[in-house]
């Protein structure tokens, strides 16, 4: 049996709940966004049930650990192919041995979840320093990103705390999702580029000032392009103000 879910975290956890309570022999869990049906396997479509999803989250938290729940969430949002069955195997192991799973760094079942989770953690850390906001008409600060992994839900709380008195949008244009904050509430929603207001009339002046500062703050004798690319990979440069052409 292969479970088909809608690609969301809650629907995936609902599938985990069905696995345990329906006691079916599940060989894989696949997203409806990318699965390729065949004539051999049997499929079952899972619909989201928030109560069942929360029950699975609580079970992971109390029967395994908070660290495991965080690793599972990060692995899921890595969007790496095959992660669903890796997570199912990890949860089965975690329910048997509890929090000891967090220290079993040589076990393949653990590594299959931990490696994607660490990739997501690294990209979150990088993106906190690489996000650049532009001021739009209406006093809204807007930032465009195209991360390798689906990290917007992990990084947005940082900016909610840091820029709590500003209206801002962080827009993942690769996945067409955005976090929007209006100094009171933050929400995650699908968003199209056609909804973006024009740049504020002062924005280009501030960008020119920032680029001029960036150009003159560098110490010529210590410029190291290779090291710079290690800390600031080139694939992120298209959204950095200081790397845009004059």
């Amino acid at each position: 049996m292969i479970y088909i879910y809608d690609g969301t975290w809650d629907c995936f956890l609902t599938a985990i709940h069905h696995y345990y309570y329906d006691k079916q022999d599940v060989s894989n869990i696949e997203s409806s966004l990318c699965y390729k049906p065949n004539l051999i396997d049997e499929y079952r479509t899972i619909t989201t049930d928030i109560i069942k999803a929360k029950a699975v989250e609580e079970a992971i938290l109390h029967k395994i650990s908070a660290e495991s729940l965080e690793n599972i969430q990060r692995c899921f949002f890595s969007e790496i192919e095959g992660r669903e069955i890796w997570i199912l195997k990890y949860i089965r192991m975690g329910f048997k041995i509890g929090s000891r799973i967090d220290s079993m760094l040589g076990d393949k079942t653990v590594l299959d979840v931990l490696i994607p989770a660490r990739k997501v953690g690294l990209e979150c850390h990088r993106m906190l320093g690489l996000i650049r906001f532009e001021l739009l008409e209406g006093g809204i600060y807007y930032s465009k990103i195209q991360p390798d992994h689906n990290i917007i839900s992990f990084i947005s709380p940082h900016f909610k705390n840091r820029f709590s008195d500003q209206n801002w949008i962080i827009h993942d244009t690769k996945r067409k999702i955005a976090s929007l904050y209006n100094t009171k509430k933050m929400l995650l929603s699908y968003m199209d580029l056609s909804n973006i207001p024009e740049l504020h009339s002062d924005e280009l002046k501030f960008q020119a000032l920032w680029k001029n500062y960036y150009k003159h703050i560098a110490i010529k004798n210590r410029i190291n392009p290779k090291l710079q690319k290690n800390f600031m990979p080139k694939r992120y440069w298209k959204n950095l103000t200081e790397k845009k052409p004059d």
Side-chain angles (χ1 to χ4, degrees):
M1 173 71 70
I2 294 178
Y3 282 174
I4 305 299
Y5 73 110
D6 66 6
T8 65
W9 169 246
D10 285 333
C11 196
F12 172 68
L13 292 183
T14 305
I16 298 290
H17 190 281
H18 280 290
Y19 167 78
Y20 273 98
Y21 284 89
D22 298 347
K23 301 188 184 304
Q24 291 177 312
D25 185 17
V26 175
S27 61
N28 205 355
I29 302 173
E30 297 181 12
S31 168
S32 59
L33 304 175
C34 58
Y35 91 105
K36 296 174 183 175
N38 60 58
L39 298 176
I40 299 173
D41 291 313
E42 187 180 355
Y43 296 90
R44 177 182 174 186
T45 300
I46 303 296
T47 54
T48 303
D49 184 321
I50 295 297
I51 294 174
K52 290 176 180 173
K54 294 301 175 192
V56 173
E57 257 188 6
E58 287 294 314
I60 295 170
L61 189 62
H62 293 108
K63 292 183 179 179
I64 309 179
S65 69
E67 183 180 337
S68 283
L69 178 59
E70 184 178 350
N71 286 331
I72 289 168
Q73 285 176 321
R74 289 186 172 190
C75 177
F76 178 80
F77 285 101
S78 71
E79 298 183 337
I80 294 174
E81 186 178 352
R83 66 197 183 284
E84 294 94 344
I85 196 67
W86 298 339
I87 293 173
L88 176 59
K89 290 176 181 177
Y90 181 97
I91 291 173
R92 284 197 311 226
M93 186 174 174
F95 281 169
K96 286 179 183 173
I97 65 173
S99 62
R100 284 193 293 122
I101 198 171
D102 295 330
S103 59
M104 297 178 65
L105 304 184
D107 188 278
K108 183 180 181 306
T109 301
V110 176
L111 287 176
D112 281 345
V113 168
L114 210 56
I115 290 172
R118 287 184 174 174
K119 287 181 178 178
V120 169
L122 175 61
E123 188 167 47
C124 287
H125 177 71
R126 277 180 173 155
M127 200 56 70
L128 294 184
L130 296 176
I131 278 188
R132 302 287 183 269
F133 286 95
E134 296 178 326
L135 182 60
L136 305 179
E137 292 293 346
I140 301 168
Y141 288 90
Y142 172 77
S143 177
K144 187 195 301 182
I145 59 173
Q146 291 110 14
D148 297 334
H149 308 292
N150 190 356
I151 60 170
I152 196 165
S153 61
F154 298 115
I155 62 174
S156 295
H158 170 85
F159 293 97
K160 181 185 174 186
N161 293 330
R162 188 165 182 183
F163 302 126
S164 60
D165 59 345
Q166 303 290 340
N167 299 309
W168 53 257
I169 299 169
I170 299 174
H171 189 187
D172 182 344
T173 56
K174 189 173 174 182
R175 298 169 181 82
K176 296 183 179 178
I177 54 175
S179 57
L180 303 97
Y181 180 70
N182 67 354
T183 73
K184 294 176 183 173
K185 290 183 179 178
M186 185 178 73
L187 65 89
L188 202 64
S189 175
Y190 286 98
M191 186 172 179
D192 201 295
L193 275 174
S194 60
N195 297 325
I196 308 301
E198 297 291 326
L199 284 179
H200 190 276
S201 55
D202 291 334
E203 175 58 25
L204 293 180
K205 298 175 191 172
F206 285 115
Q207 288 192 14
L209 286 172
W210 172 246
K211 283 194 272 190
N212 191 47
Y213 169 78
Y214 180 79
K215 193 181 297 179
H216 289 89
I217 195 69
I219 301 170
K220 288 183 181 177
N221 293 336
R222 300 185 67 181
I223 290 176
N224 186 338
K226 188 176 178 182
L227 185 63
Q228 184 190 39
K229 287 175 187 172
N230 282 340
F231 287 112
M232 197 167 71
K234 204 167 180 178
R235 61 184 180 278
Y236 300 126
W237 288 13
K238 57 191 168 190
N239 294 318
L240 296 181
T241 306
E242 58 269 35
K243 290 296 182 183
K244 289 180 181 176
D246 292 327

